[in-house]
Amino acid sequence: MSNYTQSTNFATKDALSSGDPLKIVKGTEINTEFVNISVAIATKADLASPTFTGSPVLPTGTTGTTQSAGNSSTALATTAFVTTADNLKADLASPAFTGTPTAPTASVNTNTTQVATTAYVVAQIADDAPTKTGSGASGTWNIAISGNASTASTASTVSSITTDQVLNATAGASLGAVGTYAFLVRNGDAATLSAGSTAAGSGLIYGSVISVNYYNYNTAVDGGSTTSPAGTWRLMGEFARASDATKASLWLRIS
Amino acid sequence: MQAVLTSLLNPRWADAAQTLIDCEITTSQFGNEILPFTASQNDCEAHGRAIFADIVSGKYGSIAEFK
């Protein structure tokens, strides 16, 4: 880039005397000035649609024409263009997406802060689900039994619990075990109890119904022992008469 | 299903020989229903014996006297 530099000072010629040869304005001098002007102009950019080369520097605050949204060229972007584009993007912190956002699908068993896509969830559930032998309602899910459920069966797979298994478990239960029935006497307590009421084992004793008068068929309840069961018992009969202090019924241990 | 003991209140001796302890419990099986429960060191159920031992060890506070 160069600026115009004047080669001949024509004004100084005015003061020269008429016979001085330097007073003459020569065509070559004028040509030189035009060449200087031509060279200087050739290194300047046009005001309209200037084409810069090298490393142009613009001052802060330079204004320009805002490109239309979506413009993707070598045109300079104004702050208005940048703001419009920025408003279309989600924040890095707590972004609020709209539409149908997607993300890369994590591999099964990933346990990180990575986003779980619906494809990941479906794959993870499929991976965690027990295997099934056969198809339809008659198929069998293969489920490993552990913990308390193993008391029902020692088999590693269970398709159903059979009646025999239930009966055998009941038959093998100890006297007073949870889930078993007992004929129990509540002694010395006249309060009525509706069916389904619960009572602590300490207020009950194992007992029986006895005949106290063979000919009149009178009966009574008898605490056969002083042994009280442990746990919580649910009354499977009903104690409706408040006048009788000693009552007996069938009870189910529930805890 | 194995019921889980969710609360145990008011432990008190239920016999003079101190073989039974009455209390009120709630369990996961019965939700908020408060059940009267007798803990016994001779319970055929292991959980009953464990609860008796826990009460005696002071896990649920002091044990009221037998009345």
Side-chain angles (χ1 to χ4, degrees), chain A residues 149-153 161-175 177-180, chain B residues 45:
Chain A
S150 64
T151 58
S153 170
I161 297 176
T162 66
T163 304
D164 282 348
Q165 285 174 317
V166 174
L167 294 177
N168 284 332
T170 302
S174 300
L175 176 68
V178 172
T180 63
Chain B
E45 297 285 356

Side-chain angles (χ1 to χ4, degrees), chain A residues 200-252:
Chain A
S202 65
L204 308 169
I205 53 176
Y206 293 102
S208 61
V209 177
I210 59 173
S211 172
V212 294
N213 186 320
Y214 179 80
Y215 297 104
N216 293 330
Y217 300 103
N218 291 337
T219 58
V221 295
D222 177 36
S225 70
T226 57
T227 303
S228 290
T232 303
W233 292 81
R234 190 179 296 286
L235 177 59
M236 306 309 286
E238 183 146 311
F239 294 164
R241 287 164 56 100
S243 58
D244 299 316
T246 302
K247 303 178 177 71
S249 184
L250 197 61
W251 297 73
L252 169 66

Side-chain angles (χ1 to χ4, degrees), chain A residues 29-88:
Chain A
E29 291 175 335
I30 296 174
N31 272 352
T32 298
E33 297 307 325
F34 279 120
V35 167
N36 288 347
I37 292 171
S38 175
V39 169
I41 288 176
T43 60
K44 306 300 181 186
D46 295 332
L47 279 175
S49 302
T51 302
F52 298 116
T53 59
S55 302
V57 176
L58 298 175
T60 300
T62 298
T63 60
T65 302
T66 298
Q67 306 293 334
S68 56
N71 187 305
S72 178
S73 69
T74 57
L76 295 180
T78 64
T79 56
F81 177 86
V82 172
T83 299
T84 298
D86 188 50
N87 287 342
L88 296 173

Side-chain angles (χ1 to χ4, degrees), chain B residues 3-65:
Chain B
V4 177
L5 183 68
T6 50
S7 74
L8 190 154
L9 296 173
N10 305 321
R12 54 199 181 273
W13 292 111
D15 62 344
Q18 296 196 339
T19 62
L20 303 175
I21 301 173
D22 278 352
C23 55
E24 279 78 46
I25 64 171
T26 57
T27 70
S28 58
Q29 185 178 7
F30 294 101
N32 293 326
E33 184 180 0
I34 298 174
L35 304 173
F37 184 84
T38 297
S40 168
Q41 59 185 347
N42 299 317
D43 195 341
C44 64
E45 297 285 356
H47 71 265
R49 298 193 298 272
I51 290 173
F52 183 91
D54 282 345
I55 295 174
V56 170
S57 72
K59 182 175 180 179
Y60 300 102
S62 59
I63 307 170
E65 294 297 318

